[in-house]
Structures are given as C-alpha cells and as structure tokens.
Amino acid sequence: MRNGEGGNRFVIPALILLSFVTIYPIIYVFYLSIHRKLLIFDISRFVGFENYLFLLKDDRFWNALKNTAYFTGVSVSLELLFGLYIALLLNMSFRLKGLIRAIVLIPWAIPTVVSARMWEWIYNTDFGILNYIVGTKINWLGSPFWAMNAAVFMDVWKTTPFVAILLMAGLQVIPRELYQAARVDGAGNWATFRRITLPLLKPVILVVLIFRTLDAFRVFDAIYVLTGGGPANTTETLSIYAYKVLFQTLQFGYGSTLSVIVFLCIGCISIFYIRILSRGMNRRSRSK
Amino acid sequence: MVFKHGKIAGDPEPFKKLLKKFEEENPGIKVKDEILPASTDEQHQFYVINLEGKSPDFDVLSMDVIWVPEFARAGWLKDLSLILSKNEQKEFFLGPMLAVTFKDKIYAIPWYIDAGVLYYRKDLLQKYGFSPPKTWQELVDIAQYITSRESGLYGFIWQGKQYEGLVCNVLEYFWSNGGDVLRDEISVIKSPENVDALHFMRDLIVKYKITPPLVTTAIEEPTRHIFGNGKALFMRNWPYAWNIFEKESSAIKGKVGVFPLPSFPNKESASTLGGWQLGINRYSKHPDAAEKLIKFFTSPEAQKTLALTIGYKPTRKSLYKDKDLLMKQPFIIGLYDVFMKARPRPVSPYYIMITQVIQPEFSAAISGIKTPEEALNSAHKQIEHILRVER
C-alpha cells in the first residue's frame, strides 16, 4: 500500500466485471464477423476476412458511412455553436433565470422516440405545422436533400440544450476577477470572449465534443423512427444498416462485421479527442 | 397449450368467444392466447429468436404470408400436408395456398386473407360520367380530367415510403405488366416489363402529375386519412379501410367504390396478397391439440363468425356465397374476384433478405434518385448475391 502498487488488488474485481460485460462481447462480435452465420439457413462456417472484403465493395456500406459522417459533422458543429450562444446568454444575470434554464432543457428531457414521432408530424407534407408556417408544400422527409437535413435539425433541436447546460457549468467556474481585470485593461467584449472565455472553456468544450460526436456517430433511434433510413437509404446510418442486417435479415456474420467497423470508428474518434484533451492538460500543468 | 398471434383488429370479444367454444367442444384442452406487438417486424423477430432456440413455449402461431417458406426451410414448422387433403386444399384461394406450400408440402393453413384494391369516389366518377378504370392509362386520363375541374383534390394516392408496403405496391405494377421478381429461383427483376412499370410509377408523380410527391413518404394510414377527408379521387389500399369509410362520422360515407386494380393494356390485373396463416411449432409438446385448434379456427364456421364480427376476410371460397355474409357484409363478398387473382410475394425462404435490398432501390426509383433501369440493375445484382448465399 505504501508504494501505491497494492491498489491493483482493489481494481481487479471491477476489471473482471468489466471484461465480462464489455471485453467478452467485443471479442465475440469479432469472432462472428469472420464467419458466415445465417440462422435461418443453419449456416455457420469460418470465412476469414471475406465479410470485410465484401464490405469494401458494398455500396450500401459506403453510403451509410457517408451519411453518418455528414450527420455527425453537421449536427455536432451546429449544436456546439448554438449551445455556446445559449450558454453565454443564460450565464448573464436576469430575472426568472432558473425558470428559463429549466424550460430550455425540455427538448432534451423528451424521450428520443417520442420527439422523433412528433417531428415526423411536424414535417408532414399535408398536415405538418412546418409547411403551414412556412407556407410551402415541401415533402421534407421524402426528398433526398431535405430528409437528411430534417434529421440533423431534429437532433440539433433536441441536444443543443444538453450542450448548453454543460457549457454553462464550464462558464460558471471561470473566476469573475479575470473579467474585471480585463475590463480595467480596456478589453472589449470580443477580446474578453476570445482571450478569456474560450481558452478557459476549452476542456469543457472538448468533453462536450467527445460526448456528442460519439452519440451522433451511433445515431439510431431518432432517424430510425423519423425516416426508417429512406428515401432510398439517403438517411441510412451505419447503426441502422447494421440493425437491419442483424435483426431483420438475421445475417449475424456480416452484421457483426458492420458492428466491428462502427466500433473501430468510435475507437478512433475517442483516441483522437483524448489525445487533444490530455495534451491540453499536460501543457497547463507544466505551465503551472 | 399456447396460441400466439398479433393484435386482433377491433373488438377482441368475438375471438375470445370462439376460443371458449373450442374449449367446450374439446374438454381437456386449455388454450392460453398470447398477443404479440402489432408491428409485424417485431413479431417476426420474436418467432425467429424463439424458434431458433427451439422454444416449446407456444404451440400454434399465426404467420404473415411472407414468412412460411422461410420458417419451413429452417425446419421450424410441422408438416401439415396430412391434415389438409388435396380436395380440401381446393376450397381455399390459390394465392394463400401457394404461400403456405414449400417444396410440395403444406406448412400452414390460411386463416384470413388480404389484398390490394382500388378505392374510388363513386360520386365524382358518376358526376363526370366515368366508369371505374380497367387500365392504368384510363386511370390517368380520368384523374387528369376530374382533378382539373375539382379544386383541392389529388388524383391517385398509394404507399411509397421505403418499407414492405412499397414492395407490395410495386409488385402490382410489375405483375399487371407481365413482369415478376423471381422465376424458378432466378432473378428476372430487370426485365423490360418491370422497367416500364417502374417508369410508369415515377411518371404518375412527375409526368401525369396525378400523384402528389408526398406518397414517397406515405404508408397506409396517411393515405387512408387523405382519402377519408375527401381529398383524393383514387387510392390503392387494403380492404380494412372500407369499414372506416362507412362509419357514420365519415366525410365520404356512401361515396366510395372498390374495384380491382387496373392493369397495363392486354394484361391481367393483379393484387399483392396479404393475410395470416396458422402453423404449428415443431417443438410443440401438444401437437395433437394444436392440430385441433388450427382446424377449428380455419373451419368455415369460425371464419364466418370472424368475418361477421371483426371483418376478417375468409380464405375459403365457399363462404363468398354464404347468405348471412351476403346480407351483412356485402363488401367482403364483392372482393371475391380480387382475392381470386391475388398473388403472393416471391415465395422463397430468402424473401426477407430480398425485400431488404429491393425496398431502397424501389424507393430510389420513385423518388427520382436513380432511373428505373439503374435501380433494377442494382437490385438484380444484390438478389443474385443473396441467392448464392448457400453455395
């Protein structure tokens, strides 16, 4: 205990539990992904990397990957932008602050499936309120261009509050003295924001980005309920494709291959962010 | 013994009474009926998982028309060829019999039947002196003529969202032009007949403009609402909508007519077959009792009761001459010709995989993302890949 190594003993039970619920399934999914396994036909045989080779030629996979990347990129950037703006507003002092903060959180509090159903009606060509307000007859979920952006918009509406609340927490720990000092030095609003708020908020922004990017990359329920992947797979994401292959057609081999790819993508994204985050931390601790 | 089935449409009471009657007639057999979620995808998932696990927890199961070959191929269903003699098979409609037959053996008995039909506004057609269309071109002409004279009216609506219903719709155009998807387990999907048919569907939206673009996201209920509000002249849908249109509160009560779907010139009209079949779990511990239950529920008496009470359409042809039914449910009797011509979707154990790849291709073609040729070529390649899966 004195030399700090004894701590390992206390971590072992947790590690064993974790390996049961995470490491074992990961290995098993990889094992399935190098087999051709079709429940209905009672086929189960080793095929090596055949599934992965097929995946490289599978247009539907590349289409799903493209859709997922677009959805993640656009929705996460918009959420960060709007979230930061709302956080800055909510961080000012005004009357009914508590109430407004609570109201802002409502979209986040609604279960995803419920809000997706709600948006499906909002986007309805004939009865939808969106076309009524805008005065158009656009087929939001039926046109390839609008369908994906409609899904992005729904996600932005739903998760911006979450981003805003996290960023607001970050804003509140920035010492007031810094702002006072800046004002004494004659710094304007923009300069204070760029030189003080942004740098000190950076770690929180990174955490928000990790959460949101990983969530958006795995998006399933929102889009599945909203469009089912249509029209013509223009909104089909990797998770939806994997679900359809795994659970609707029961091709456990190829479905697992898709899952492994999603897992690898998520892994790369996490490593990328964690490196940025730890580099930032190291620099700060060194400068102290 | 356990009877698994989807939700009973409407009032479940008549169904419960039938079960009680069965128990009285067969002392010693107790039936527990268990209801699955309404979504057919979830029901399919439930059965596949449990049957793959050789679960004996249920004895009788109700199956969508497209599942029987798949389940039979997997060896999950008891062969019922012996309880349905060759003569008795002839009493049923041909479509559902084809759907329950796999490699010359029968694995389920048709319980009730469904098929695509054309709904039309009787009052409007009369007003302008038209009779219901027999060919697709007639439908286009009538719709163009009337919609240019009536405001706020769509010409023709159907179901075009990327889902199983889209496949049902598209097949009706393929078949009514002499095309098909599989022939002798080989893909014939990129035939010129199919290309023409798919072109025509796209043209309904962009060239003839009688179909609004909203159909590319529509499933049954939204189209039923639009037609029910009096905002469409023609609609393709299943027979269930009829009872709703004839309710007292309906805006179009008494103004609706039903007709078989049109066809292309000199070809046969065809409807996609739907409906449910009863089969026996091969791992059942009470196969004899299960057999009795299936016989009871597919008997003329039980089918008649269900038709009179909840409007399930009988699978036995003789019932369409029944006097009581003729009096109380003349609509059902009128569907006889449609059911005679109803065709099952490709009868293949691979169907579930095939529909997964053709849905997006059809969706791409009708929403203009791909040309019909491109979509069908791509579908053809993918179907061939699926058919090779066992090799």
Side-chain angles (χ1 to χ4, degrees), chain A residues 36 38-41 43 45 54 60 125-126 139 141-142 144 227 230-233 243-244 248-251, chain B residues 41 45 48 52 70 74 154 161-162 213-214 216-217 231 350 352-353 356 360 363-364 369 385 389-391:
Chain A
R36 166 162 287 174
L38 291 149
L39 288 191
I40 303 162
F41 303 103
I43 296 174
R45 63 162 196 268
F54 179 75
R60 199 166 163 187
T125 317
D126 254 27
N139 189 4
L141 299 178
T227 65
N233 287 344
Y243 169 82
K244 284 182 180 166
Q248 284 184 354
T249 70
L250 301 162
Q251 307 174 56
Chain B
D41 279 343
Q45 211 165 304
V48 169
E52 171 69 18
E70 178 193 352
Y154 293 130
K161 187 180 172 172
Q162 179 178 333
L214 71 91
T216 57
T217 48
K231 286 177 71 184
Y350 307 104
I352 295 287
M353 288 156 86
Q356 271 300 314
S363 168
I369 298 166
H385 177 79
V389 86
E390 280 181 276
R391 276 168 233 155

Side-chain angles (χ1 to χ4, degrees), chain A residues 10 24 33-34 53 77 90 105 112 119 126-128 141 148 170 180 199 203 212 214 216 219 248 257 263 272 275 277:
Chain A
F10 295 97
Y24 170 72
S33 80
I34 49 174
L53 290 177
S77 357
L90 287 182
L105 262 182
T112 314
W119 279 95
D126 254 27
F127 314 106
L141 299 178
M148 188 43 127
Q180 285 158 3
R212 284 307 309 144
L214 296 189
V219 63
Q248 284 184 354
T257 309
F263 173 71
F272 170 74
R275 290 198 115 182
L277 198 61

Side-chain angles (χ1 to χ4, degrees), chain B residues 93-327:
Chain B
F93 284 111
L94 182 65
M97 277 324 293
L98 288 176
V100 299
T101 309
F102 181 69
K103 300 212 163 140
D104 298 326
K105 284 184 179 153
I106 290 166
Y107 288 93
I109 302 182
W111 186 21
Y112 58 93
I113 185 173
D114 227 349
V117 288
L118 182 75
Y119 288 83
Y120 64 94
R121 286 285 298 279
K122 227 164 31 183
D123 56 328
L124 288 172
L125 255 62
Q126 246 158 28
K127 183 175 162 193
Y128 292 97
F130 288 109
S131 48
K134 288 209 172 62
T135 66
W136 291 111
Q137 194 53 48
E138 275 177 50
L139 182 142
V140 170
D141 295 340
I142 298 172
Q144 284 183 333
Y145 186 88
I146 296 182
T147 48
S148 63
R149 283 160 182 80
E150 298 274 336
S151 64
L153 190 73
Y154 293 130
F156 177 36
I157 50 176
W158 32 280
Q159 297 82 38
K161 187 180 172 172
Q162 179 178 333
Y163 81 124
E164 185 59 33
L166 172 61
V167 177
C168 298
N169 274 259
V170 174
L171 285 176
E172 285 160 354
Y173 294 81
F174 283 4
W175 289 333
S176 66
N177 199 25
D180 210 337
V181 173
L182 294 182
R183 227 164 249 155
D184 300 325
E185 299 197 16
I186 289 170
S187 163
V188 290
I189 198 170
K190 56 175 185 176
S191 68
E193 289 86 6
N194 289 353
V195 173
D196 281 350
L198 206 51
H199 260 297
F200 177 78
M201 290 181 83
R202 174 74 182 148
D203 285 347
L204 287 173
I205 304 171
V206 291
K207 189 169 150 203
Y208 307 123
K209 297 194 174 13
I210 58 167
T211 294
L214 71 91
V215 295
T216 57
T217 48
I219 61 172
E220 284 86 357
E221 280 296 87
T223 52
R224 200 262 298 163
H225 274 291
I226 294 172
F227 192 85
N229 290 337
K231 286 177 71 184
L233 181 64
F234 293 111
M235 172 179 69
R236 182 263 175 215
N237 212 326
W238 308 94
Y240 82 96
W242 174 263
N243 288 345
I244 305 170
F245 293 151
E246 288 304 300
K247 276 187 187 153
E248 281 307 320
S249 53
S250 160
I252 51 166
K253 181 173 159 50
K255 296 177 182 168
V256 187
V258 176
F259 204 66
L261 289 163
S263 67
F264 288 92
N266 308 319
K267 299 273 166 48
E268 279 269 324
S269 149
S271 295
T272 301
L273 178 77
W276 293 78
Q277 344 295 323
L278 298 179
I280 299 177
N281 178 355
R282 228 214 23 214
Y283 310 106
S284 161
K285 290 190 181 121
H286 320 279
D288 296 337
E291 242 172 52
K292 280 189 186 139
L293 185 77
I294 289 191
K295 273 190 179 162
F296 176 83
F297 267 97
T298 56
S299 70
E301 295 76 34
Q303 291 201 350
K304 183 175 159 183
T305 313
L306 289 176
L308 284 171
T309 49
I310 43 183
Y312 278 2
K313 283 78 187 166
T315 51
R316 288 177 183 268
K317 289 186 272 188
S318 58
L319 283 172
Y320 291 75
K321 295 188 189 88
D322 187 276
K323 279 201 191 98
D324 298 336
L325 265 176
L326 196 62
M327 278 235 307

Side-chain angles (χ1 to χ4, degrees), chain A residues 202-247:
Chain A
K202 206 174 122 198
V204 183
I205 291 180
L206 273 171
V207 170
V208 167
L209 280 178
I210 293 183
F211 271 128
R212 284 307 309 144
T213 316
L214 296 189
D215 261 357
F217 202 86
R218 293 173 310 176
V219 63
F220 175 77
D221 41 5
I223 298 188
Y224 189 74
V225 173
L226 195 66
T227 65
N233 287 344
T234 46
T235 56
E236 188 174 75
T237 61
L238 281 177
S239 302
I240 293 180
Y241 186 28
Y243 169 82
K244 284 182 180 166
V245 172
L246 273 170
F247 295 108

Side-chain angles (χ1 to χ4, degrees), chain A residues 20-33:
Chain A
F20 264 115
V21 294
T22 62
I23 297 171
Y24 170 72
I26 289 171
I27 292 171
Y28 188 60
V29 165
F30 182 74
Y31 168 84
L32 283 176
S33 80

